[in-house]
C-alpha cells in the first residue's frame, strides 16, 4: 500500500484543469486570491473607478462541475457584462464546491447573466443554475452564555470577523439561561466569511451550544416584539442584556479626553483622532455609536461600538461616546 503525503495528494487532483487555469492566469495577467475557502477575482477589478455596485448586481451560480475553474467561468460570465467580482467556493483538495457568485457593474448586466446562463449547458449533460443572489447580511448566533459581557462579545467579534456594523443581544428563545445575538455586516461576503469563522469555533466566545445561522425574518420580528413588550421601568433598570449600564460621567470622568491626549503626548504617540457615528437610537434614549480612534504612534486604529445615554439637554451623544471610548483606551494603555 502506497502512502501519499496530503500535499502530494491534493496537488495530484485535477492536474490538467489546474495547469489550464495557471496558463490562463499567466496569459491574461489576472490575479486570484484565495481566503477562507473561496477564491476571488476583483472586488474591485483592475481599473475600477468609483463605489462598489449597488444591491441587486450579484448572481448565484450553482451545479458547477467541481473541476471547472475561472479560466472557463470568468470569460463566460464576462461575455454578458462587466464583472466587478467573481468568487468561486473551494475545497481543501483543490476542487470547487459546486457554486460561485458573480457581481456585475450594473443590475441590468446581472439580469442578462440570469437570462443567458440559467440552465446553460457548460458541458455535455451538465447544465448550471444561475439566479439572483439573496445577498444576506445578517446572522443569528444562539447559545451565548447569559453572563457574557456585551463589550467582551463586541471585542471578540471585531477581532475575528470584518465588516460588523451592529449587534443586538436578546434572551434566547430556544435555550434556557442563554442569549442570542443578531449581527449585521456590511456585505453578504463579510457575513458569509463571519458565519464560517464562527461555525468553526475559532473564537473566545463564552457559549453553551453555539448555533450560527442566517437571520430568519420571522425570528427577528419575534425578538423585536418581545423587546417592545418590556415596560419603560424595566428599560430604565437596564434589564435588556444588549445595553450595558452606563456609569454617571462625573467632571473627573469628563476629563478623560484631556487625560488620554496628555498620556499619548507623554509617550510620544501623538494626539488621538476620534471618529464617531450613531448607528442605532432607542426610544428610551440609549444611543449606540460606532467609533474609530487613530493614534499616530499606534500602527492599527482602535474601533468598535459603545452605548451611551445623554444625561440631559445640550449634552452631545457624540461627546459622551468619545468620553466612554477615552476611558476604555486609558485602561488599555495602563492608566487607571
Amino acid at each position: 500500500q502506497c502512502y501519499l503525503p496530503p500535499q502530494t495528494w491534493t496537488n495530484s487532483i485535477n492536474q490538467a484543469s489546474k495547469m489550464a487555469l495557471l496558463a490562463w492566469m499567466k496569459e491574461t495577467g489576472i490575479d486570484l486570491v484565495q481566503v477562507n475557502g473561496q477564491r476571488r477575482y476583483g472586488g474591485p477589478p483592475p481599473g475600477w473607478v468609483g463605489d462598489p455596485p449597488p444591491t441587486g448586481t450579484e448572481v448565484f451560480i450553482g451545479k458547477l462541475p467541481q473541476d471547472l475553474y475561472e479560466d472557463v467561468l470568468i470569460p463566460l460570465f464576462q461575455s454578458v457584462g462587466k464583472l466587478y467580482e467573481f468568487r468561486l467556493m473551494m475545497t481543501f483538495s483543490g476542487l470547487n464546491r459546486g457554486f460561485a457568485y458573480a457581481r456585475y457593474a450594473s443590475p441590468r448586466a446581472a439580469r442578462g447573466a440570469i437570462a443567458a446562463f440559467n440552465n446553460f449547458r457548460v458541458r455535455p449533460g451538465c447544465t448550471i443554475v444561475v439566479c439572483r443572489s439573496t445577498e444576506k447580511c445578517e446572522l443569528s448566533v444562539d447559545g451565548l452564555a447569559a453572563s457574557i459581557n456585551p463589550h467582551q462579545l463586541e471585542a471578540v467579534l471585531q477581532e475575528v470577523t470584518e465588516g460588523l456594523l451592529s449587534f443586538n443581544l436578546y434572551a434566547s428563545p430556544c435555550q434556557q439561561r442563554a442569549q442570542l445575538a443578531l449581527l449585521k455586516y456590511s456585505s453578504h461576503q463579510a457575513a458569509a466569511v463571519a458565519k464560517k469563522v464562527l461555525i468553526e469555533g475559532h473564537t473566545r466566545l463564552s457559549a453553551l451550544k453555539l448555533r450560527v445561522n442566517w437571520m430568519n425574518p420571522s425570528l427577528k420580528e419575534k425578538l423585536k416584539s418581545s423587546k417592545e413588550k418590556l415596560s419603560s421601568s424595566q428599560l430604565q433598570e437596564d434589564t435588556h442584556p444588549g445595553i450595558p449600564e452606563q456609569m454617571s460621567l462625573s467632571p473627573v470622568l469628563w476629563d478623560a479626553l484631556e487625560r488620554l491626549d496628555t498620556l499619548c503626548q507623554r509617550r510620544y504617540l501623538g494626539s488621538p483622532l476620534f471618529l464617531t457615528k450613531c448607528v442605532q437610537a432607542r426610544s428610551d434614549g440609549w444611543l449606540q455609536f460606532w467609533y474609530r480612534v487613530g493614534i499616530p504612534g499606534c500602527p492599527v486604529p482602535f474601533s468598535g461600538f459603545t452605548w451611551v445615554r445623554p444625561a440631559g439637554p445640550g449634552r452631545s451623544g457624540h461627546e459622551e461616546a468619545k468620553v466612554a471610548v477615552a476611558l476604555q483606551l486609558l485602561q488599555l494603555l495602563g492608566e487607571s
Side-chain angles (χ1 to χ4, degrees):
Q1 184 175 359
C2 179
Y3 170 76
L4 289 176
Q7 188 62 43
T8 303
W9 176 71
T10 56
N11 286 342
S12 66
I13 289 180
N14 207 23
Q15 194 66 24
S17 295
K18 289 180 180 177
M19 294 302 294
L21 173 65
L22 291 174
W24 173 78
M25 291 172 63
K26 184 176 181 180
E27 179 184 349
T28 60
I30 284 178
D31 290 325
L32 302 176
V33 179
Q34 185 163 335
V35 179
N36 290 319
Q38 56 181 290
R39 198 158 60 200
R40 186 178 71 185
Y41 157 76
W48 180 270
V49 177
D51 296 328
T55 302
T57 54
E58 185 175 84
V59 299
F60 169 81
I61 308 158
K63 298 180 67 176
L64 290 171
Q66 286 192 279
D67 59 347
L68 195 65
Y69 296 132
E70 291 90 343
D71 57 314
V72 174
L73 293 170
I74 287 180
L76 178 66
F77 282 87
Q78 276 183 331
S79 67
V80 296
K82 182 175 178 59
L83 279 177
Y84 174 79
E85 183 180 61
F86 189 92
R87 296 183 288 124
L88 183 64
M89 306 301 118
M90 301 296 297
T91 69
F92 288 112
S93 66
L95 297 171
N96 77 59
R97 293 170 58 195
F99 66 100
Y101 294 90
R103 180 178 291 277
Y104 284 90
S106 68
R108 181 178 180 179
R111 292 192 296 270
I114 295 171
F117 299 128
N118 188 37
N119 294 320
F120 180 81
R121 188 172 68 174
V122 291
R123 286 180 182 170
C126 182
T127 59
I128 60 175
V129 171
V130 180
C131 59
R132 181 178 174 179
S133 171
T134 55
E135 300 188 57
K136 299 176 181 177
C137 298
E138 293 181 287
L139 302 175
S140 67
V141 182
D142 199 359
L144 296 165
S147 60
I148 194 168
N149 182 287
H151 293 301
Q152 175 196 1
L153 173 62
E154 179 185 315
V156 173
L157 291 172
Q158 291 285 357
E159 180 180 341
V160 302
T161 69
E162 294 184 3
L164 180 68
L165 295 180
S166 64
F167 74 94
N168 283 288
L169 278 170
Y170 303 85
S172 170
C174 302
Q175 302 186 55
Q176 292 186 347
R177 296 183 295 278
Q179 295 188 75
L180 179 147
L182 290 185
L183 314 178
K184 184 173 183 179
Y185 285 86
S186 58
S187 67
H188 173 72
Q189 182 181 349
V193 173
K195 182 173 182 283
K196 182 176 185 294
V197 169
L198 294 172
I199 287 176
E200 290 177 348
H202 299 157
T203 69
R204 298 189 305 276
L205 295 177
S206 175
L208 303 175
K209 187 178 180 182
L210 205 62
R211 298 176 183 173
V212 184
N213 294 294
W214 292 110
M215 189 276 297
N216 185 312
S218 62
L219 171 64
K220 187 175 183 180
E221 288 304 314
K222 180 180 177 181
L223 293 170
K224 280 187 174 181
S225 64
S226 65
K227 183 171 79 171
E228 289 169 358
K229 289 178 183 177
L230 291 173
S231 68
S232 59
S233 61
Q234 285 178 306
L235 288 172
Q236 289 170 3
E237 291 169 6
D238 195 31
T239 58
H240 187 274
I243 303 177
E245 182 178 354
Q246 182 186 18
M247 66 181 74
S248 176
L249 295 180
S250 67
V252 175
L253 295 181
W254 273 99
D255 289 340
L257 289 167
E258 185 177 341
R259 287 165 52 202
L260 178 63
D261 185 74
T262 301
L263 176 64
C264 290
Q265 296 295 344
R266 191 168 70 238
R267 296 186 180 181
Y268 303 101
L269 298 175
S271 295
L273 179 62
F274 286 77
L275 180 62
T276 58
K277 180 180 180 181
C278 185
V279 295
Q280 188 176 167
R282 289 173 48 86
S283 59
D284 61 329
W286 283 99
L287 303 174
Q288 187 184 38
F289 281 85
W290 169 86
Y291 66 83
R292 182 183 294 273
V293 184
I295 300 178
C298 296
V300 179
F302 301 90
S303 63
F305 296 88
T306 190
W307 286 95
V308 298
R309 184 160 56 183
R315 289 288 187 90
S316 166
H318 286 273
E319 288 304 313
E320 298 212 16
K322 291 178 183 179
V323 172
V325 173
L327 288 169
Q328 295 179 38
L329 293 181
L330 283 168
Q331 291 180 338
L332 186 64
L333 294 171
E335 191 83 354
S336 61

